[in-house]
Amino acid sequence: MSDMSAGKKGSVIFSGFRALGLYSNHLAHVLRFHKKHREFYVLTAVGQCFHTYNVKKLGIVAVSNALPEDISSLAADRMLVYAAYGKLISAFAKNKEVVHTYKGHQADVHLLLPFGDHLISVDKDNVVIIWDVESEDTYLQISYDKASFEVSALMHPSTYLNKILFGSSQGSLQLWNIKSNKLLFTFPGWASAVTVLQQTPAVDVVGVGLASGQIIVHNIRFDETLMKFQQDWGPVTALSFRTDGHPIMASGSPIGHIGLWDLEEKKFVSQMRDAHTTAIAGLTFLQNEPLLITNGADNAIRVWIFDVAGGDGRLLRQRIGHSAPPTKIRHHDQSSLNILSAGQDGTLQSFSTVHERFNKSLGHGTLNKTRAKKKGVTNDTAKLPAITTFASETARQSDWDGIIACHRGFLVTTTWNYQKGSIGAHKLEPERFNKNRSLNVHATAVDITSCGNFAVIALSSGHIDVYNMQSGFHRGHYGKDKAHAGAVRGVSVDALNQLTVSVGADRLLKIWRFKSKELLHTHSLPAAPASSLLHRDSGMLAIALDEFTIHILDMETRRTVRRFSGHRGQINDMTFSPDGRWLITASMDCTIRTWDLPSGSLVDCFLVDAAAVSLSMSPTGNFLASSHVDGLGIYLWSNNTLCSMVSLRPLPADYEPTVIMLPGTCPSRDTEEEEVLYADSSEMDEYISPAQLDEHLITLSLLPDSRWKNLLHLDIIRVCACHYRPFKIPPKLPKAAPFFIPTIPGLVPQFALPSTPSEDQSKIVNLGVLAQKSTFYLQLEKALDNNSYKEPVKLLRELGPSAIETELRALSPDMGGEVRVMQSFLKMISSILQSKRDFDLAQAYLALFLKLHLRFIADQPELMEEAESVSAHLEEMWMSTQTLLNQNICLLSYIKSALL
């Protein structure tokens, strides 16, 4: 059980929320039609789970529970979705929950075909198993000799009862009756491996795609080839036929092109070039609609519509992510709704944390935007390499470009416009190199001022230049010749455009005046820096060094205030929490660590399967975004401290972090297991404050101010109430039998018992009734004997201001009270002061008591003696309190004024 609780402690602060930007992989999509909704849905595999989108808007409908391994094949029928992973197959209901698991294969499964109440699967050892879907039993098993017939494709021909057509890598086809387990016919094939088998709209006719690029339309009833087509782009990866009245066939290729063929004219009609940047994994025409759905390994789903003359398709809608892993991610604005991401595919994209429809692609970097539009991205010779780092600012983004980016190995830095969603107007390059590309100088770091007017660009040659974002003009450089003797690894500008700070490979940190470019301060670093990050609000600069340590420099005092060590690999990225209290770092040792700056300690650490290459904390502090090695998505981690009480303790030096699976890939756990984990968790339970923290501390009553603050001003309140009383008294309703049982006035409701008049009621007035003693009075009398004043204090706490005044007035002998009871009240005040509880109530009650009975007390020696005792307790208590307050005020004044 201790191991389970250790697993739960993975991260105290962060828990996986969801993944962004993952849409498709190399597996073909699956199309389903929902009869009740009258709507098509498309399913795509993404790693260990699959996503379900509606075709109408390509909005995500469901994400399945994750499987232990990556999905190797996907298929679906009317009720269930089947996913193969390793040697197992799982059946999902409602696009989410696993309801069946099929075990029996001895090798990895790579082909699936639902067939009525059965499921057909093929593994890499060429074993075909037919499963009963409900019972999970094996109905039939067929083993093929891999050398003579290696199954590469299979399909069920329409109207052919119990028949399955198998295609092989050797090129031949076999038609089997799986009910009787008989081979009905063998087709010799076309001397090339079969890659695709697809039913045409015509009965008995199937489309066969070959590895040679040939597409055969064959009648399997008469074993007759109706037509042949040759695709010049390599093997056929997918086939589909239009069913809306147009005899068009679409074929997919490994280089991302789609060919359109007219089956009536038996000719090539049109081509859709670069439909995807990678191989076409799947393409499907919707039933009786001019819509084509495609997906590929470039992490894209696209819907094409055929509504123009010539039969060519145009892009209707799409969902695209990075086709290569992201290199840098940053939140774009203060709303935390958009994350900018630069990928190794050369694109800059914006992902919304709210909905996919707000995603936008800013395109691929290019030196000539006009030529790139004409030629296309793939044929653009002026295409720029991947972005290594970028900076963004929203202050003037509606007026001019607000993003600046460095490209791998390039001296030129590019500006981008977020609102237009494209590369910007300027290509910033210093004139000192005369556009000499042989110098091997490139941009290493960038920053944009908080006003959005200036960009600061650092180079590998040691130069730092300033440019105007509106005009693109050069506005100066730092240092006489160079800012640093080596490559500049980081540059930042403070919030008020007063200071610029830079770190270089020469192990120096330099602080410059932003406007005059004057060097103000130089600080030596113990090792060469890898990167730097400035938190503008707090003025804290984090510097990651090549020796895997992090130094925090205070820009105000220009001194190193914190040093953090613990990473065992190169530090890839850093991000501050919005309040500047935490620094979160990611390293090649696959850990993500959270450092608490005020305490100077490590408070959270966890491992991930793939090292994080970039981190970004949202400006609102609710999410941490991360991108990882070889991962195409952006992963969001929710901040637990915003929604629950989290106890942050410094982690020991020998702390061993546990692995947490990336969001969206976490296997579902049983509820019982979760309950056990929470029961045995080492986290602190919710703290319940006692009534008094310590007997030496003064404790207040926590009662509302209205219950005790106005006790001295009740006479003024009554005068004001009388002054504003309306002149005309509203008519009173006649007395009637009470609908509700009457209660006694007071803060604690008590029912008033009805008085039953006796028949022999005397008409003589009983004066004893007029002087009836209250409960509070009786408790004070009782306390004189047992010296316990808890009950009288408890009664007073429950009374309102007017009732308290009435009770205190009744203590006077003029109102039926006694001197000894007044003495008992003063003793009650002394006991409250000695217990140091309800300090505010004791002051208020004593003040009202003295106001009402001061003259009478002065004439009574017993009361004067007790009052002096109360005064001594009060003075002693106040002197100790005043001493503590003065000490605290003195300490705070020193901390505020002194430079530590």
Side-chain angles (χ1 to χ4, degrees):
M1 201 64 69
S2 61
D3 293 340
M4 294 175 70
S5 84
K8 171 70 180 67
K9 72 179 181 182
S11 174
V12 180
I13 300 175
F14 300 108
S15 58
F17 178 59
R18 61 173 295 202
L20 301 176
L22 292 175
Y23 299 106
S24 172
N25 63 7
H26 63 283
L27 297 180
H29 65 262
V30 176
L31 201 64
R32 302 181 78 191
F33 181 73
H34 198 291
K35 286 187 176 180
K36 187 177 180 181
H37 297 167
R38 305 291 299 169
E39 192 173 358
F40 284 99
Y41 293 93
V42 60
L43 284 69
T44 58
V46 178
Q48 298 171 336
C49 61
F50 64 86
H51 295 180
T52 305
Y53 299 88
N54 53 19
V55 176
K56 188 187 296 182
K57 294 184 179 178
L58 275 188
I60 192 162
V61 174
V63 178
S64 73
N65 292 335
L67 296 169
E69 299 178 41
D70 286 350
I71 296 173
S72 57
S73 183
L74 196 65
D77 59 16
R78 190 174 62 86
M79 297 299 294
L80 300 172
V81 179
Y82 306 96
Y85 58 99
K87 302 172 185 177
L88 303 177
I89 306 164
S90 288
F92 291 80
K94 300 178 182 178
N95 295 320
K96 189 165 186 179
E97 302 165 355
V98 176
V99 291
H100 298 294
T101 301
Y102 307 96
K103 303 175 183 177
H105 281 286
Q106 302 303 315
D108 291 347
V109 180
H110 69 110
L111 291 175
L112 292 176
L113 178 67
F115 184 60
D117 295 331
H118 297 83
L119 173 67
I120 304 172
S121 60
V122 184
D123 64 21
K124 293 290 180 70
D125 284 347
N126 224 24
V127 175
V128 179
I129 299 180
I130 301 163
W131 310 86
D132 185 280
V133 170
E134 285 301 319
S135 66
E136 303 178 10
D137 295 331
T138 301
Y139 175 78
L140 178 67
Q141 182 169 328
I142 306 170
S143 295
Y144 288 100
D145 181 14
K146 222 174 184 183
S148 59
F149 193 90
E150 183 182 0
V151 178
S152 59
L154 71 163
M155 65 159 287
H156 164 60
S158 294
T159 72
Y160 280 54
L161 191 65
N162 302 324
K163 311 296 190 301
I164 296 295
L165 182 65
F166 293 96
S168 70
S169 299
Q170 288 75 18
S172 59
L173 288 84
Q174 292 183 1
L175 184 66
W176 282 73
N177 186 323
I178 61 170
K179 187 174 183 179
S180 60
N181 191 16
K182 287 183 180 178
L183 174 63
L184 302 179
F185 193 79
T186 301
F187 302 90
W190 297 271
S192 181
V194 177
T195 56
V196 182
L197 289 174
Q198 183 65 40
Q199 176 69 50
T200 68
V203 180
D204 302 327
V205 181
V206 299
V208 183
L210 304 178
S212 62
Q214 266 195 328
I215 304 167
I216 312 295
V217 180
H218 194 76
N219 189 316
I220 58 173
R221 184 172 185 181
F222 300 106
D223 190 16
E224 179 184 352
T225 299
L226 303 180
M227 57 192 83
K228 288 184 180 181
F229 302 104
Q230 178 64 45
Q231 178 176 273
D232 297 332
W233 303 316
V236 180
T237 58
L239 284 177
S240 188
F241 297 86
R242 284 183 71 172
T243 54
D244 60 337
H246 296 267
I248 298 294
M249 176 183 68
S251 63
S253 68
I255 58 175
H257 302 333
I258 297 174
L260 301 173
W261 314 81
D262 191 321
L263 300 180
E264 279 188 356
E265 302 288 335
K266 298 184 181 180
K267 67 177 184 179
F268 181 71
V269 178
S270 178
Q271 58 180 336
M272 297 163 59
R273 299 186 70 85
D274 302 318
H276 289 268
T277 57
T278 59
I280 305 293
L283 56 86
T284 311
F285 278 106
L286 259 63
Q287 188 74 21
N288 299 324
E289 291 189 37
L291 295 177
L292 175 67
I293 300 174
T294 63
N295 78 299
D298 58 350
N299 196 20
I301 310 170
R302 292 185 169 95
V303 179
W304 311 81
I305 185 168
F306 293 81
D307 58 351
V308 294
D312 205 359
R314 65 177 178 87
L315 185 63
L316 180 63
R317 62 183 71 94
Q318 63 179 343
R319 290 281 179 264
I320 58 171
H322 285 295
S323 57
T327 56
K328 189 81 169 179
I329 59 172
R330 284 290 177 266
H331 280 84
H332 177 55
D333 49 21
Q334 295 300 312
S335 66
S336 304
L337 301 181
N338 299 298
I339 300 174
L340 280 174
S341 171
Q344 292 179 14
D345 54 2
T347 61
L348 182 64
Q349 300 195 30
S350 171
F351 294 99
S352 171
T353 58
V354 179
H355 197 277
E356 285 92 349
R357 68 172 178 270
F358 300 122
N359 293 357
K360 63 165 75 172
S361 174
L362 281 71
H364 202 291
T366 179
L367 291 172
N368 193 321
K369 188 177 177 181
T370 309
R371 191 189 307 164
K373 275 187 176 180
K374 290 180 181 178
K375 291 188 173 183
V377 174
T378 52
N379 301 318
D380 182 17
T381 54
K383 184 169 59 175
L384 287 169
I387 294 171
T388 54
T389 185
F390 64 89
S392 69
E393 185 58 55
T394 59
R396 302 301 294 271
Q397 70 173 3
S398 57
D399 300 321
W400 51 75
D401 301 340
I403 304 169
I404 186 164
C406 301
H407 297 265
R408 183 179 294 122
F410 254 67
L411 176 62
V412 178
T413 53
T414 53
T415 61
W416 300 71
N417 195 302
Y418 183 81
Q419 290 195 339
K420 292 180 181 177
S422 66
I423 193 167
H426 306 302
K427 310 292 180 291
L428 306 178
E429 181 179 6
E431 295 179 356
R432 67 174 67 90
F433 300 111
N434 297 319
K435 298 189 177 182
N436 186 354
R437 302 287 184 248
S438 62
L439 293 175
N440 196 22
V441 178
H442 60 273
T444 55
V446 288
D447 196 20
I448 295 182
T449 57
S450 57
C451 61
N453 289 308
F454 298 99
V456 182
I457 301 170
L459 306 179
S460 60
S461 60
H463 296 90
I464 301 176
D465 297 288
V466 181
Y467 293 87
N468 185 287
M469 287 295 289
Q470 181 181 10
S471 61
F473 292 161
H474 188 264
R475 293 302 185 197
H477 62 89
Y478 292 94
K480 291 182 180 179
D481 179 29
K482 294 182 178 181
H484 289 268
V488 183
R489 301 286 175 80
V491 64
S492 303
V493 184
D494 70 352
L496 300 176
N497 293 6
Q498 297 295 311
L499 302 174
T500 301
V501 59
S502 61
V503 293
D506 54 1
R507 299 189 178 188
L508 292 179
L509 179 147
K510 296 184 178 182
I511 299 176
W512 315 79
R513 198 172 296 282
F514 175 77
K515 190 173 182 181
S516 65
K517 315 294 186 295
E518 172 192 355
L519 179 62
L520 298 177
H521 180 73
T522 302
H523 183 83
S524 181
L525 298 171
S531 62
S532 67
L533 177 69
L534 175 66
H535 187 260
R536 284 176 171 169
D537 293 341
S538 65
M540 293 293 168
L541 179 74
I543 309 149
L545 303 181
D546 285 342
E547 62 180 11
F548 313 148
T549 61
I550 302 152
H551 286 217
I552 307 296
L553 183 118
D554 187 356
M555 292 287 288
E556 185 71 27
T557 61
R558 299 174 187 174
R559 292 172 59 185
T560 301
V561 293
R562 293 287 183 271
R563 290 181 180 87
F564 298 126
S565 60
H567 280 297
R568 299 171 186 172
Q570 172 192 329
I571 297 168
N572 293 330
D573 203 6
M574 305 179 288
T575 182
F576 280 99
S577 61
D579 56 2
R581 186 179 181 89
W582 296 338
L583 176 68
I584 305 154
T585 58
S587 167
M588 287 304 292
D589 59 8
C590 294
T591 61
I592 296 177
R593 298 173 183 252
T594 304
W595 312 88
D596 186 67
L597 266 63
S599 64
S601 59
L602 176 69
V603 293
D604 190 51
C605 178
F606 63 94
L607 280 166
V608 286
D609 291 326
V613 295
S614 189
L615 294 174
S616 180
M617 190 75 174
S618 62
T620 54
N622 51 355
F623 291 114
L624 172 71
S626 66
S627 63
H628 298 261
V629 173
D630 296 333
L632 301 182
I634 296 173
Y635 299 91
L636 296 182
W637 309 80
S638 57
N639 184 356
N640 297 330
T641 61
L642 296 183
C643 49
S644 62
M645 196 197 76
V646 176
S647 174
L648 295 180
R649 304 166 179 166
L651 299 180
D654 59 348
Y655 178 78
E656 288 295 331
T658 52
V659 178
I660 296 183
M661 297 189 73
L662 295 178
T665 60
C666 297
S668 59
R669 290 179 291 189
D670 296 334
T671 311
E672 294 179 5
E673 182 184 343
E674 286 186 359
E675 288 176 359
V676 169
L677 290 177
Y678 279 110
D680 292 345
S681 173
S682 60
E683 292 180 18
M684 285 179 62
D685 295 329
E686 187 175 352
Y687 177 73
I688 300 173
S689 176
Q692 189 175 18
L693 295 176
D694 191 86
E695 60 182 11
H696 301 293
L697 298 176
I698 292 174
T699 308
L700 303 182
S701 64
L702 299 182
L703 286 179
D705 292 354
S706 58
R707 300 273 290 275
W708 58 270
K709 212 169 188 178
N710 297 322
L711 285 175
L712 291 177
H713 311 296
L714 287 176
D715 48 353
I716 301 173
I717 294 171
R718 289 195 189 98
V719 170
C720 293
C722 293
H723 181 70
Y724 291 109
R725 186 176 296 170
F727 293 105
K728 291 184 179 179
I729 300 173
K732 293 181 180 179
L733 290 173
K735 269 195 172 184
F739 182 76
F740 297 103
I741 302 174
T743 57
I744 298 171
L747 295 176
V748 180
Q750 295 180 0
F751 294 117
L753 298 175
S755 56
T756 53
S758 60
E759 295 179 1
D760 305 334
Q761 187 174 2
S762 173
K763 295 183 180 180
I764 301 172
V765 177
N766 185 4
L767 296 175
V769 175
L770 298 176
Q772 187 175 6
K773 297 177 182 179
S774 66
T775 309
F776 175 68
Y777 191 96
L778 294 173
Q779 290 291 349
L780 282 178
E781 283 185 330
K782 187 179 178 181
L784 279 173
D785 302 328
N786 57 21
N787 203 27
S788 174
Y789 289 94
K790 288 184 179 179
E791 288 301 322
V793 174
K794 185 180 177 183
L795 279 172
L796 274 187
R797 285 174 62 96
E798 295 172 352
L799 297 178
S802 297
I804 292 172
E805 187 194 31
T806 304
E807 292 287 358
L808 295 191
R809 282 186 186 276
L811 299 179
S812 170
D814 298 339
M815 301 296 291
E818 298 178 35
V819 173
R820 66 189 191 90
V821 178
M822 295 179 69
Q823 190 177 2
S824 178
F825 179 83
L826 290 173
K827 287 183 178 180
M828 181 191 78
I829 298 296
S830 292
S831 73
I832 296 176
L833 294 175
Q834 286 173 356
S835 68
K836 296 188 178 181
R837 298 176 64 171
D838 299 330
F839 187 71
D840 47 351
L841 296 185
Q843 304 286 332
Y845 296 160
L846 181 61
L848 180 60
F849 183 77
L850 294 176
K851 179 182 176 182
L852 296 176
H853 309 298
L854 186 60
R855 290 185 180 178
F856 183 77
I857 293 172
D859 297 336
Q860 302 294 325
E862 303 99 334
L863 295 181
M864 278 298 295
E865 185 181 347
E866 196 63 44
E868 287 173 1
S869 173
V870 172
S871 177
H873 284 305
L874 199 60
E875 188 173 357
E876 179 189 352
M877 203 169 199
W878 177 243
M879 286 300 293
S880 63
T881 305
Q882 194 172 29
T883 303
L884 289 173
L885 288 174
N886 289 337
Q887 287 177 355
N888 288 324
I889 291 170
C890 180
L891 182 61
L892 284 173
S893 300
Y894 175 71
I895 290 173
K896 287 168 68 178
S897 60
L899 292 176
L900 297 178

